[in-house]
Amino acid sequence: MTARELDVLSYLVRGYTLVNIAPELFLSEHTVRTHVRHIYEKMGVHSRQELLEALGY
């Protein structure tokens, strides 16, 4: 994963929504959505719930 994807991931596991992540990282919602899509692809999941389960949360 890229450094930025890891940044986004850290917010996802803390329960932030895409709308809330964008201003925290000074990104557009579209860019955050793209990072989340890439994270899901790399982790082989299709939802936040699957992602959290794959990470052991």
Side-chain angles (χ1 to χ4, degrees), residues 1-51:
M1 261 186 243
T2 67
R4 206 52 158 167
E5 289 167 355
L6 291 173
D7 291 340
V8 171
L9 179 59
S10 73
Y11 282 94
L12 287 174
V13 298
R14 288 185 273 165
Y16 281 67
T17 65
L18 303 183
V19 173
N20 298 122
I21 294 171
E24 291 290 325
L25 297 177
F26 304 100
L27 299 171
S28 72
E29 289 177 37
H30 176 76
T31 301
V32 173
R33 190 173 296 110
T34 299
H35 286 311
V36 170
R37 188 177 73 243
H38 291 160
I39 291 167
Y40 285 4
E41 289 172 1
K42 290 177 181 182
M43 294 293 296
V45 298
H46 298 97
S47 69
R48 182 184 297 224
Q49 184 62 41
E50 287 182 20
L51 177 65

